[in-house]
């Protein structure tokens, strides 16, 4: 279905959308990496009570990776 888009709504071009997806994919990888690194460092110290926030960071990063990875495939 093609709906007419009014002129006052800015729609980025396909190249800009691809660049946004690539940057978001990199940000997701960084979130997962930092979350795993901090989780590993917390387990090394024996401080596992604060691990919930780290798992949330890892989960958000994984969702961003999945979303933008699939978007870049199509």
């Amino acid at each position: 279905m093609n709906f007419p888009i009014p002129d006052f709504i800015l729609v980025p071009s396909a190249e800009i959308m691809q660049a946004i997806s690539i940057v978001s994919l990199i940000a997701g990888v960084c979130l997962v990496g930092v979350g795993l690194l901090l989780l590993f460092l917390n387990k090394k110290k024996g401080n596992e009570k604060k691990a919930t926030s780290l798992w949330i960071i890892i989960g958000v990063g994984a969702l961003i990776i999945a979303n933008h990875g699939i978007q870049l495939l199509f």
Side-chain angles (χ1 to χ4, degrees):
M1 298 176 72
N2 290 334
F3 293 108
I5 299 173
D7 292 336
F8 61 88
I9 297 177
L10 299 175
V11 179
S13 65
E15 294 84 21
I16 300 293
M17 291 298 289
Q18 185 177 17
I20 291 171
S21 287
I22 291 171
V23 169
S24 297
L25 184 70
I26 292 169
V29 170
C30 290
L31 278 175
V32 170
V34 167
L36 288 174
L37 178 68
L38 292 175
L39 187 67
F40 176 71
L41 292 175
N42 269 353
K43 283 193 177 194
K44 205 172 197 181
K45 290 181 183 178
N47 191 7
E48 296 181 16
K49 291 182 181 178
K50 298 181 182 179
T52 305
S53 61
L54 296 176
W55 281 110
I56 291 172
I57 291 172
I58 294 169
V60 168
L63 283 174
I64 291 172
I65 291 170
N67 181 19
H68 291 283
I70 290 172
Q71 188 175 3
L72 285 172
L73 289 176
F74 299 105

